[in-house]
Amino acid sequence: MHTISTQSAPVGKLEFLSFQLGGMEYGVDFCKVKELLTFQSLERFASEGAIVKGVAVSRGVIMPLVDMRVAFNERAASPGPTTDVIILQLSSCVMGMLVDGVTDVVRMYPDQITPIPGMTRENGCDYLMGLGETDGRRLILVDIDKLMSIRRETVAQQAA
């Protein structure tokens, strides 16, 4: 089990936890990360679905486990020894996110983040914050709160 230090970033820099999904490197706001665990170390129960891999307990908190490997790659893969779970504190809940592996914490200035060509709010991609580039690496930066609220907003709009 890994514990995350919540030291503040140098002034002006943003911090992202980087992780791998299907050979691509992504990043989420480090402030949203509560804890890192390996999939095997997590106490799980309840049935599994295609994207929701059941329910788990961590430090007494019951949370859904979302398999981002399936959500982003549209293929079911069995969790392996390198599969990590990122425990996130979202604005609406605590959840676990399965990824191929956590890389590290990346610090960037806002001017190192550029929009992703062709991705706009109008085409439903407002959860992609942009491409972050630092030290020869490119990360696809994801606003995890927006990504996890997509389905609820769609259902609410259809009901109205």
Side-chain angles (χ1 to χ4, degrees), residues 1-7 15-19 28-38 42 56-65 85-97 102 105 144-145:
M1 175 171 64
H2 305 286
T3 304
I4 299 296
S5 167
T6 55
Q7 295 176 347
E15 290 186 313
F16 298 92
L17 181 70
S18 65
F19 56 92
V28 293
D29 184 352
F30 185 71
C31 294
K32 301 282 182 183
V33 178
K34 287 185 63 168
E35 187 175 9
L36 298 176
L37 299 169
T38 61
L42 199 58
V57 177
S58 176
R59 299 182 188 254
V61 175
I62 298 171
M63 72 191 97
L65 292 177
V85 179
I86 304 169
I87 308 297
L88 299 164
Q89 176 65 61
L90 303 180
S91 58
S92 61
C93 67
V94 174
M95 65 165 278
M97 182 172 80
V102 171
V105 177
I144 197 67
D145 272 311

Side-chain angles (χ1 to χ4, degrees), residues 35-151:
E35 187 175 9
L36 298 176
L37 299 169
T38 61
F39 183 73
Q40 284 81 12
S41 70
L42 199 58
E43 180 184 347
R44 299 175 308 277
F45 60 95
S47 63
E48 293 188 9
I51 293 178
V52 177
K53 286 290 186 194
V55 179
V57 177
S58 176
R59 299 182 188 254
V61 175
I62 298 171
M63 72 191 97
L65 292 177
V66 177
D67 192 342
M68 298 303 285
R69 300 163 317 140
V70 174
F72 276 48
N73 297 318
E74 299 181 12
R75 62 178 167 79
S78 297
T82 61
T83 303
D84 288 320
V85 179
I86 304 169
I87 308 297
L88 299 164
Q89 176 65 61
L90 303 180
S91 58
S92 61
C93 67
V94 174
M95 65 165 278
M97 182 172 80
L98 274 74
V99 298
D100 289 332
V102 171
T103 314
D104 61 358
V105 177
V106 177
R107 292 167 183 85
M108 287 183 244
Y109 288 103
D111 65 354
Q112 292 175 286
I113 302 170
T114 58
I116 298 174
M119 300 294 169
T120 64
R121 177 176 298 238
E122 290 76 32
N123 65 14
C125 291
D126 65 336
Y127 60 87
L128 295 176
M129 298 166 56
L131 283 177
E133 293 191 47
T134 182
D135 299 327
R137 293 170 65 186
R138 293 181 106 186
L139 277 75
I140 301 168
L141 303 176
V142 178
D143 183 328
I144 197 67
D145 272 311
K146 285 183 181 177
L147 179 63
M148 291 304 154
S149 67
I150 286 174
R151 181 162 166 71

